[in-house]
Amino acid sequence: MSGLVSPAELRARFAAALSDMYQAEVPQYGALLTLVNDVNRATLAADPKLERSLAASGELGRIAGERHGAIRVGTADELRSIARAFRLMGMEPVGYYDLATAGVPVHSTAFRPVETDELAASPFRVFTSLLRLDLIDDPDLRTEAAEILGRRQIMTEEALSLLAEGEAANGLDEQEVARFLPALLETFRWHQRATIGEEIYDRLLASHRLVADVVSFPGPHINHLTPRTLDIDAAHRRMAELGFGPKVEIEGPPRRDIPILLRQTSFKALSEPVRFPGGGTGSHTARFGEIEQRGAALTREGRARYDRMLAGGDAAGAAGLPDDPDALRREELAFFRYRAADARYVPGATASLEALIMDGALVATPITYEDFLPVSAAGIFRSNLGDETRAGYAATGSRAAFEQALGDSVRDEFALYEREQAASLRGLERAFGWTEGSVTPR
Ligand code: OOG
Ligand code: NI
């Protein structure tokens, strides 16, 4: 025993502590959690097959935990220091999302666990956006915003010093964790106090609501958390019935027999009181609650089809994707994990993957999509910016610029799913003594 707390354990405890803090800060979020748990319980009661499959995959006990949260940082330095904290918790930057095309002046990545067992141990991830100061039109305001951000330190001394210790020792022990988590939470806490005067706040707000949200406060307060729902349509209806003020539509693909990608909805951000340095008060709208339901990860081809249909005005964006697991698999539109139905089964040397599946010897289950959708993210951003509509910025973001700010490359999400699919096939080859490559998806 090394005495070090594992990254998964640290991540799980961080997510739980963040949830407690957020429920205290935004009571409506606590009510949303209750609603989601009620809907999940009713869904399981009505669908024993779903309950059995969740039990078999070890997910049943963890349904209630948050799946993701989101923050927005102001500078490359802030992005790098928060990335170090996430790394200590086993979260790596995956994917690049350019929101400028949708009129939101940020680009983003998701810090998340990448290994299947790590995702199973604690799936928590943080959608992290970096403000693009270059998209503030007024050069004076741009300079001012940069100066304000340059003066703040979003991590406490305690968090930074324990982070350095954790990096040096490859982890933290129990006592260090007991100090690290509360120190780190300070970065995610809501501070009712703005660091700047009302006049600048108003100018930042006029430039873009999001600019004011990122620049005006001591740190990148968590702006939402998102639990997992087993039936997002039912949960969405319930939110409306109970007066949660949900956004009108569920983001993402429509309801299907074989769910794909990610569907999400949120209640709109609340207006919260703010104190300005001179004693003035105001209000700020940024923080909300969200729910999500995940489906199959699509291959590049599957995703390209989905994107084409979205672009072609098919808002549902899924009409061209067969709602049938065998078709999705044979046409290589979604990723699958393969396992033997019976460990004693020894197939003939010439058996094809397809024949083995048709025989019932192998079982293929869709790999869950663990990432985000830029169009949905933009929709979530927008509904929380007072639905102020704004055309896309002309200057699109670039992955290279984001990676330079991060000081690291972002992982390719498709490669991760592909690796997962290939690993499941290799596992079968090993288990059955098949020759390498004897079972391939084609
Ligand atoms: C992030 C919005 C994106 C999602 O679930 O797509 C997001 C934000 O509002 O900062 O969390
Ligand atoms: Ni979200």
Side-chain angles (χ1 to χ4, degrees):
M1 282 297 294
S2 62
L4 297 178
V5 176
S6 73
E9 178 61 26
L10 191 55
R11 181 166 70 251
R13 288 195 212 171
F14 171 68
L18 199 56
S19 177
D20 287 346
M21 182 177 85
Y22 199 58
Q23 287 178 62
E25 289 179 348
V26 181
Q28 192 174 338
Y29 176 67
L32 180 66
L33 278 184
T34 305
L35 181 157
V36 166
N37 286 335
D38 289 349
V39 170
N40 285 350
R41 213 171 305 120
T43 308
L44 288 173
D47 190 348
K49 196 164 150 250
L50 176 66
E51 179 157 23
R52 276 197 301 277
S53 95
L54 289 168
S57 61
E59 291 173 79
L60 202 52
R62 275 188 298 271
I63 291 170
E66 270 81 4
R67 288 302 199 84
H68 83 260
I71 56 170
R72 306 148 183 172
V73 298
T75 65
D77 278 351
E78 292 179 0
L79 182 62
R80 286 178 194 212
S81 52
I82 207 70
R84 287 172 55 204
F86 289 145
R87 165 159 292 282
L88 198 65
M89 298 190 277
M91 299 151 86
E92 297 177 28
V94 180
Y96 171 73
Y97 305 90
D98 176 16
L99 280 307
T101 50
V104 183
V106 302
H107 46 179
S108 320
T109 191
F111 289 92
R112 69 165 177 90
V114 296
E115 306 292 342
T116 309
D117 53 348
E118 286 286 313
L119 280 160
S122 166
F124 191 64
R125 61 212 87 181
V126 181
F127 191 89
T128 303
S129 299
L130 173 64
L131 179 64
R132 285 189 52 201
L133 282 173
D134 59 301
L135 295 180
I136 300 179
D137 288 334
D138 175 356
D140 293 338
L141 189 61
R142 199 185 310 144
T143 309
E144 234 169 318
E147 278 168 11
I148 295 162
L149 289 170
R151 284 197 294 270
R152 78 178 184 185
Q153 169 56 265
I154 62 167
M155 307 266 281
T156 63
E157 288 300 325
E158 172 93 336
L160 283 171
S161 94
L162 285 161
L163 184 52
E165 282 176 39
E167 287 169 340
N170 252 318
L172 297 172
D173 65 23
E174 280 292 346
Q175 275 141 21
E176 290 164 332
V177 166
R179 287 160 52 212
F180 179 66
L181 286 181
L184 184 62
L185 273 190
E186 289 307 306
T187 302
F188 294 80
R189 185 183 297 288
W190 169 243
H191 304 268
Q192 285 194 359
R193 134 191 101 77
T195 57
I196 54 166
E198 228 166 327
E199 183 264 340
I200 308 178
Y201 175 84
D202 287 339
R203 278 162 58 215
L204 293 169
L205 200 62
S207 148
H208 196 293
R209 198 175 275 272
L210 204 91
V211 175
D213 183 58
V214 177
V215 177
S216 311
F217 300 96
H221 40 265
I222 183 93
N223 68 58
H224 69 280
L225 284 176
T226 310
R228 169 187 189 183
T229 172
L230 298 174
D231 185 343
I232 197 164
D233 300 280
H236 187 78
R237 274 195 305 276
R238 196 93 190 101
M239 283 168 73
E241 280 161 19
L242 296 182
F244 271 79
K247 62 193 299 305
V248 179
E249 279 162 14
I250 295 174
E251 299 285 347
R255 189 182 183 92
R256 297 163 40 102
D257 287 340
I258 308 298
I260 52 167
L261 300 172
L262 169 67
R263 302 180 72 206
Q264 41 193 172
T265 188
S266 58
F267 67 72
K268 291 187 186 151
L270 310 172
S271 187
E272 299 176 272
V274 177
R275 289 195 314 274
F276 291 100
T281 57
S283 67
H284 183 74
T285 315
R287 294 166 357 116
F288 58 97
E290 185 188 53
I291 58 178
E292 63 167 52
Q293 183 170 13
R294 290 180 180 271
L298 299 183
T299 59
R300 280 178 211 280
E301 171 56 24
R303 180 56 186 273
R305 273 201 208 176
Y306 175 75
D307 287 342
R308 269 200 303 277
M309 277 172 294
L310 267 185
D314 168 10
L321 287 164
D323 195 3
D324 163 43
D326 291 327
L328 287 169
R329 185 171 45 74
R330 290 192 196 118
E331 294 175 45
E332 294 185 45
L333 298 170
F335 290 107
F336 287 81
R337 185 178 294 121
Y338 298 90
R339 66 180 168 79
D342 180 341
R344 290 159 307 180
Y345 184 86
V346 182
T350 58
S352 73
L353 185 67
E354 204 51 45
L356 292 170
I357 290 169
M358 290 305 118
D359 273 4
L362 291 190
V363 182
T365 2
I367 295 177
T368 302
Y369 186 62
E370 304 291 355
D371 295 287
F372 293 83
L373 298 173
V375 173
S376 302
I380 296 283
F381 267 109
R382 241 191 327 272
S383 68
N384 288 295
L385 298 170
D387 279 326
E388 101 192 4
T389 40
R390 154 190 252 299
Y393 290 97
T396 58
S398 95
R399 175 190 290 249
F402 186 85
E403 291 180 330
Q404 195 181 4
L406 177 64
D408 191 2
S409 56
V410 298
R411 321 289 178 260
D412 173 6
E413 63 273 30
F414 290 103
L416 294 172
Y417 298 120
E418 214 158 307
R419 189 181 72 179
E420 172 69 22
Q421 176 173 280
S424 76
L425 287 168
R426 272 202 314 279
L428 287 173
E429 288 169 354
R430 272 198 304 276
F432 294 110
W434 296 337
T435 50
E436 181 89 13
S438 64
V439 173
T440 61
R442 283 167 198 276

